[in-house]
Amino acid sequence: MLFVWSYWKTIFTLPMNPSKEFHLSYSDKESLEREPRGESQQEVLRRAAKDLPIYTRTMSGAIRYCDRCHLVKPDRCHHCSVCDKCILKMDHHCPWVNNCVGFSNYKFFLLFLAYSLLYCLFIAATDLQYFIKFWTNGLPDTQAKFHIMFLFFAAAMFSVSLSSLFGYHCWLVSKNKSTLEVFRAPIFRHRTDKNGFSLGFSKNLRQVFGDEKKYWLLPVFSSLGDGCSFPTCLVNQDPEQASTPGGLNSTSKNENHLFPAKPLRDSQSHLLTDTPTWSETTAKAEKGKVGMSNPALTMENET
């Protein structure tokens, strides 16, 4: 029952698209079309993305913009050429379910793999004794012998392939990565960081399965967040983002987000030393606080 339910939810859950705030306004679209390609267009995009919770850039350091959907791409969002639309936290387009696997159905996809693997292992285990009898001539000479052999080989082969795929996606969850991010690491303003969205195993797991453990094994949506913004482990402040006195980023814009405003890793020792982009005011305010819990640290804000 859970196997079928997970498969059904994986197929028929529509992938989530970016919210309206990421779409360009009519005036911004006109400005973008009038301006020649290059820095002038980037200035229009920077102005449109000024108040958006985005931290990643293109390889050239530009704002990530989709010219087919006419929107500023949220972090971890990619345009699917098959669905012809931008998908939030896109992992891949799966031909087996004829759907994009992304933020809205990634948990269902994981459960589908898990229950499929358990189902195939159960079939192979229960059929093993008859498969052994087949080779030792312990079965009556009927057409059922072929069915037993085919069933065991099919279950065994699917078990091997599913265990590899499920193990790979478990590793992705533990590292808070998507399949696309493995092949191309996310690029933040100051550098490329393949582990930029990783917050530690426990937080990474909860980001996909939610805080309520009773829902983890059920194909019901319980992932954290809205799919448009994600916490990062980076602590460098983006000088382009507006900040409050003392170097603190205003948290009023993040009050509606389900994620904490400053989701740092448990161990911050190696991050605290990376301070070249802090303002002088912030550096002085933070002096003498090494080794203490520091609420003034902020995430790297990327526009």
Side-chain angles (χ1 to χ4, degrees):
M1 180 64 181
L2 290 176
F3 163 72
V4 177
W5 191 7
S6 301
Y7 185 58
W8 180 274
K9 295 282 283 186
T10 304
I11 295 176
F12 293 105
T13 299
L14 295 177
M16 289 181 64
N17 309 121
S19 56
K20 292 183 179 180
E21 62 179 332
F22 290 90
H23 290 260
L24 293 185
S25 64
Y26 182 76
S27 59
D28 286 335
K29 289 180 184 178
E30 283 192 331
S31 300
L32 199 65
E33 292 173 357
R34 284 198 306 266
E35 298 291 345
R37 289 187 176 273
E39 184 59 31
S40 54
Q41 280 193 344
Q42 277 300 302
E43 184 59 35
V44 175
L45 293 177
R46 276 195 290 267
R47 187 168 60 250
K50 178 179 58 177
D51 297 325
L52 296 178
I54 56 175
Y55 308 102
T56 54
R57 298 290 186 93
T58 64
M59 295 183 67
S60 61
I63 300 294
R64 299 174 65 241
Y65 174 73
C66 179
D67 54 3
R68 293 184 64 86
C69 300
H70 303 291
L71 56 82
V72 176
K73 291 182 181 179
D75 293 340
R76 317 183 81 173
C77 175
H78 299 274
H79 186 88
C80 177
S81 59
V82 180
C83 300
D84 195 27
K85 57 184 177 181
C86 286
I87 308 298
L88 293 180
K89 196 186 176 184
M90 180 178 174
D91 187 87
H92 67 286
H93 185 92
C94 182
W96 296 102
V97 298
N98 193 30
N99 196 6
C100 262
V101 177
F103 175 75
S104 60
N105 62 350
Y106 188 60
K107 177 190 173 184
F108 306 145
F109 178 73
L110 283 173
L111 293 178
F112 165 62
L113 292 180
Y115 292 133
S116 299
L117 177 58
L118 290 175
Y119 184 57
C120 289
L121 290 174
F122 174 77
I123 293 175
T126 54
D127 191 44
L128 180 60
Q129 56 177 323
Y130 301 104
F131 182 74
I132 295 175
K133 290 182 180 179
F134 170 80
W135 291 106
T136 57
N137 296 321
L139 291 177
D141 192 11
T142 62
Q143 291 183 351
K145 296 176 66 175
F146 171 77
H147 297 158
I148 290 173
M149 182 179 65
F150 174 79
L151 184 62
F152 180 81
F153 274 117
M157 287 187 294
F158 273 108
S159 296
V160 173
S161 59
L162 284 171
S163 60
S164 301
L165 186 59
F166 179 63
Y168 173 69
H169 279 280
C170 286
W171 177 78
L172 290 180
V173 171
S174 69
K175 299 295 183 181
N176 205 338
K177 296 180 181 180
S178 66
T179 300
L180 294 177
E181 289 168 353
V182 170
F183 290 100
R184 180 179 293 179
I187 302 172
F188 296 88
R189 175 173 174 77
H190 302 290
R191 65 183 184 275
T192 298
D193 191 339
K194 62 181 180 180
N195 295 315
F197 292 107
S198 180
L199 307 174
F201 178 78
S202 178
K203 293 179 182 178
N204 294 342
L205 191 67
R206 293 203 305 271
Q207 197 172 112
V208 175
F209 290 95
D211 291 326
E212 298 289 338
K213 293 184 179 181
K214 60 184 178 181
Y215 296 125
W216 283 11
L217 300 180
L218 297 177
V220 294
F221 185 80
S222 58
S223 301
L224 300 180
D226 56 5
C228 292
S229 60
F230 295 90
T232 73
C233 66
L234 306 178
V235 297
N236 290 328
Q237 182 181 0
D238 190 337
E240 290 187 6
Q241 285 282 15
S243 59
T244 59
L248 291 175
N249 281 353
S250 174
T251 58
S252 60
K253 298 175 184 177
N254 295 327
E255 288 179 355
N256 294 327
H257 292 170
L258 298 179
F259 288 108
K262 297 176 281 294
L264 304 177
R265 284 176 179 163
D266 295 331
S267 175
Q268 302 176 2
S269 56
H270 69 288
L271 297 173
L272 293 175
T273 59
D274 189 11
T275 59
T277 59
W278 289 8
S279 63
E280 185 178 352
T281 305
T282 306
K284 291 180 180 179
E286 298 307 317
K287 189 176 181 180
K289 293 186 179 181
V290 177
M292 300 174 61
S293 177
N294 192 348
L297 291 175
T298 59
M299 296 183 298
E300 177 176 1
N301 292 323
E302 298 295 340
T303 60

